[in-house]
C-alpha cells in the first residue's frame, strides 16, 4: 500500500483529524496554522516526503527570508507545533487503525501572584537572571579571593599551539622576583 | 508652528467671500453682473478658499504620515518585549498576536498589563526579556532624537521608557525585573496615548 508522507497529506490529515475525532479541534487548528506558515519555505523534495525535512534548517530558512515579518519566538513556537504534527502524522501513516494522538507537554504557564516559592527556587531564578548580563566572549579567571583576570577575544577555533603562544606572553609578564623567593 | 495658523487664510477667504456674497445679494438687480467687481472678488475668494484648503489638507496629511512613521519606528523597537510577553500568556493552541498588532495596537499593551498584574512570569520569559533589554538598550537610546522630533512629551516619555529598559537589563532578581517591566508597560501606555 502506498504511504503518503507529503505536506499535502499532512494538511489533509490535520483537516480530517477533528472530524474523525482523532485530535482536539484547537490542537489540529493550531498545528495546521503552524504548518501552513512553515511550509511556505519547503523545497520540492521536502514537500513530497516530509521524512527528509529538518525542522532546524527550515527555521533558519524562514528567519533569513521572512525575518522582518515572522518573529523568531513565533517561528520557535510554530516549529514545536509542526514537530508534534509530524510525529502524529508519521504514526498515523504507519498504523492508521491504532492511531491515538499524543498529548504534547505544554510550556510553563504564568503562575498566580500569590503562589509562594522555596528558597531554592528563588536562588535558581537569581542565578538564571544574572547569567544573561555576563558577556559570553569574556572569560573570568579567578586568581585568588580579590583578583580576577578576564580574557577577551579568544577565538572559538583556538589551537593548542596558539594557546601555548598566549601562555608564553602571559608568563613573560609575570614578576620574576616572586619565583626567586 | 501652530497648526491653527494654517486655518487663518481659509477663514479670511471664507469670511471675505461670504461677506462679499451677502453684499452682492443685498444690492442685486438685473445689471448686477455688468460693470461690477463684486462677482469677480467673490470668485477670487472661492478660488483662494479651495486652493489654500486643498494645499493645507495635503500638507497636514503628509505631516501626519511622516509623524506616524516616526512613531511606528519607535514602537517597533519595543516589539520584542511585547512579543515575549504575548507568548508567555498565550493559551495552549492559541495563535500569537500578529507583528503589526504588537507594533501599533495600544490595546495589546493594556491586556498584557492586566495579565501581568494577576500572574507571575516564568523564569525563562524573564531571562528572555532581560536579553531583549540588553540588546535593545543601545538602539532605544539612539532613537531619543526621533522621539524629540515628535514632541517634547514624546521625548520625555521615551527617555522614561529607556530608563525602564536600562533597569530591566541590570536586573538580577525577579523583583528587580518585574518592577521595570511594569513601568515599561505603563510608560508605553502613556506614549501611545500622546497625540501625534
Amino acid at each position: 500500500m502506498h504511504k503518503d508522507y507529503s505536506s499535502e497529506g499532512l494538511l489533509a490529515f490535520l483537516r480530517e483529524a477533528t472530524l474523525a475525532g482523532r485530535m482536539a479541534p484547537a490542537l489540529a487548528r493550531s498545528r495546521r496554522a503552524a504548518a501552513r506558515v512553515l511550509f511556505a519555505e519547503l523545497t520540492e523534495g521536502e514537500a513530497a516526503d516530509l521524512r527528509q525535512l529538518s525542522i532546524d534548517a527550515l527555521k533558519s530558512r524562514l528567519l533569513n527570508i521572512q525575518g522582518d515579518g515572522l518573529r523568531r519566538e513565533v517561528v520557535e513556537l510554530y516549529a514545536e507545533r509542526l514537530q508534534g504534527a509530524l510525529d502524529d502524522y508519521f504514526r498515523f501513516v504507519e498504523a492508521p487503525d491504532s492511531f491515538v494522538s499524543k498529548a504534547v507537554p505544554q510550556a510553563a504557564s504564568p503562575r498566580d501572584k500569590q503562589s509562594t516559592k522555596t528558597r531554592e527556587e528563588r536562588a535558581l531564578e537569581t542565578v538564571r537572571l544574572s547569567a544573561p548580563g555576563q558577556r559570553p566572549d569574556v572569560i573570568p579567571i579567578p586568581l585568588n579571593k580579590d583578583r580576577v583576570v578576564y580574557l577577551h577575544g579568544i577565538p572559538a577555533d583556538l589551537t593548542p599551539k596558539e594557546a601555548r603562544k598566549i601562555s608564553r606572553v602571559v608568563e613573560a609578564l609575570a614578576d620574576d622576583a616572586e619565583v626567586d623567593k | 508652528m501652530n497648526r491653527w495658523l494654517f486655518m487663518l487664510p481659509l477663514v479670511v477667504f471664507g469670511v471675505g467671500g461670504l461677506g462679499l456674497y451677502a453684499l452682492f445679494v443685498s444690492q442685486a438687480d438685473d445689471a448686477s453682473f455688468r460693470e461690477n467687481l463684486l462677482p469677480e472678488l467673490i470668485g477670487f475668494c472661492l478660488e483662494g478658499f479651495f486652493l489654500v484648503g486643498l494645499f493645507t489638507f495635503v500638507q497636514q496629511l503628509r505631516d501626519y504620515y511622516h509623524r506616524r512613521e516616526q512613531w511606528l519606528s519607535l514602537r517597533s523597537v519595543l516589539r520584542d518585549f511585547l512579543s515575549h510577553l504575548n507568548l508567555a500568556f498565550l493559551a495552549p493552541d492559541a495563535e500569537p498576536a500578529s507583528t503589526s498588532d504588537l507594533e501599533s495596537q495600544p490595546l495589546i499593551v493594556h491586556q498584557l498589563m492586566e495579565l501581568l498584574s494577576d500572574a507571575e512570569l516564568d523564569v525563562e520569559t524573564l531571562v528572555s526579556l532581560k536579553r531583549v533589554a540588553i540588546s535593545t538598550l543601545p538602539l532605544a537610546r539612539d532613537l531619543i532624537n526621533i522621539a524629540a522630533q515628535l514632541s517634547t512629551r514624546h521625548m520625555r516619555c521615551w527617555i522614561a521608557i529607556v530608563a525602564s529598559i536600562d533597569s530591566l537589563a541590570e536586573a538580577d532578581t525577579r523583583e528587580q525585573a518585574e518592577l521595570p517591566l511594569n513601568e515599561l508597560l505603563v510608560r508605553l501606555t502613556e506614549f501611545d496615548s500622546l497625540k501625534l
Side-chain angles (χ1 to χ4, degrees):
Chain A
M1 194 185 119
H2 171 69
K3 290 178 177 176
D4 181 12
Y5 287 101
S6 68
S7 57
E8 289 300 321
L10 171 66
L11 291 171
F13 160 75
L14 291 171
R15 211 171 21 246
E16 290 155 13
T18 311
L19 300 172
R22 296 192 196 104
M23 207 180 281
L27 180 64
R29 210 171 26 245
S30 69
R31 284 177 171 183
R32 259 184 73 202
R36 278 180 189 284
V37 172
L38 297 184
F39 284 177
E41 292 308 321
L42 282 183
T43 61
E44 276 183 30
E46 288 168 344
D49 186 355
L50 289 173
R51 288 172 299 179
Q52 296 176 19
L53 174 65
S54 158
I55 291 199
D56 286 339
L58 183 64
K59 272 194 305 192
S60 59
R61 282 209 297 269
L62 264 151
L63 289 168
N64 289 341
I65 294 162
Q66 302 188 33
D68 199 30
L70 211 54
R71 309 186 307 273
R72 179 175 292 277
E73 52 276 15
V74 173
V75 172
E76 294 287 345
L77 175 76
Y78 281 171
E80 273 176 38
R81 289 177 179 180
L82 180 62
Q83 188 62 66
L86 287 172
D87 291 345
D88 271 0
Y89 181 56
F90 293 157
R91 284 189 304 106
F92 170 76
V93 171
E94 293 300 326
D97 298 330
S98 61
F99 173 77
V100 180
S101 179
K102 251 197 249 175
V104 184
Q106 295 293 344
S109 56
R111 298 200 302 185
D112 197 5
K113 279 262 192 221
Q114 273 63 49
S115 61
T116 52
K117 280 196 287 292
T118 62
R119 262 194 21 214
E120 288 80 8
E121 278 180 315
R122 286 188 166 281
L124 187 66
E125 276 181 359
T126 305
V127 169
R128 295 280 293 111
L129 275 166
S130 55
Q134 294 164 0
R135 286 178 54 173
D137 57 339
V138 177
I139 302 162
I141 305 172
L143 300 178
N144 56 41
K145 205 176 79 149
D146 302 320
R147 294 174 87 187
V148 181
V149 170
Y150 296 93
L151 280 180
H152 174 241
I154 300 287
D157 56 350
L158 185 77
T159 62
K161 191 181 168 188
E162 288 166 337
R164 280 194 293 276
K165 194 174 179 180
I166 293 167
S167 73
R168 283 198 297 274
V169 172
V170 177
E171 279 171 13
L173 294 171
D175 190 358
D176 289 339
E178 286 290 315
V179 179
D180 297 338
K181 283 174 193 174
Chain B
M1 192 175 170
N2 193 336
R3 60 184 66 181
W4 291 109
L5 216 59
F6 283 111
M7 297 293 161
L8 193 64
L10 274 181
V11 174
V12 169
F13 279 118
V15 171
L18 284 171
L20 289 169
Y21 178 73
L23 184 68
F24 176 70
V25 168
S26 68
Q27 41 178 258
D29 56 20
D30 293 343
S32 293
F33 283 94
R34 253 177 272 142
E35 294 178 9
N36 191 351
L37 202 62
L38 274 181
E40 209 161 327
L41 286 174
I42 292 167
F44 173 72
C45 284
L46 276 173
E47 277 175 25
F49 183 81
F50 283 110
L51 283 178
V52 170
L54 188 69
F55 288 141
T56 304
F57 175 72
V58 169
Q59 177 65 35
Q60 295 241 7
L61 204 63
R62 286 186 58 183
D63 188 40
Y64 171 77
Y65 281 130
H66 178 64
R67 295 164 74 80
R68 173 92 183 156
E69 282 297 315
Q70 288 179 318
W71 182 83
L72 279 173
S73 303
L74 293 166
R75 228 13 196 77
S76 64
V77 172
L78 306 174
R79 184 192 69 185
D80 284 352
F81 290 104
L82 302 179
S83 178
H84 279 96
L85 285 170
N86 173 246
L87 288 182
F89 291 115
L90 197 69
D93 306 323
E95 278 301 295
S98 72
T99 302
S100 60
D101 281 355
L102 287 176
E103 287 179 356
S104 60
Q105 290 295 331
L107 188 66
I108 287 186
V109 185
H110 283 284
Q111 287 170 348
L112 290 173
M113 275 172 70
E114 280 173 25
L115 289 165
L116 201 59
S117 65
D118 296 336
E120 194 174 69
L121 291 169
D122 62 297
V123 72
E124 287 306 320
T125 303
L126 284 175
V127 171
S128 302
L129 287 165
K130 183 177 172 175
R131 281 209 179 94
V132 169
I134 291 166
S135 61
T136 305
L137 187 60
L139 177 61
R141 277 207 184 105
D142 289 347
L143 288 176
I144 289 174
N145 61 353
I146 298 288
Q149 286 175 38
L150 288 173
S151 75
T152 317
R153 293 179 72 194
H154 278 94
M155 186 188 72
R156 281 200 212 105
C157 215
W158 189 256
I159 288 171
I161 286 170
V162 170
S164 297
I165 296 173
D166 194 7
S167 304
L168 182 55
E170 297 291 321
D172 283 337
T173 64
R174 172 176 288 279
E175 290 73 22
Q176 286 173 2
E178 280 181 343
L179 183 68
L181 190 60
N182 271 308
E183 282 176 355
L184 176 66
L185 292 179
V186 170
R187 286 161 178 177
L188 183 53
T189 309
E190 280 175 41
F191 184 80
D192 287 343
S193 66
L194 294 175
K195 276 190 83 171
L196 279 178

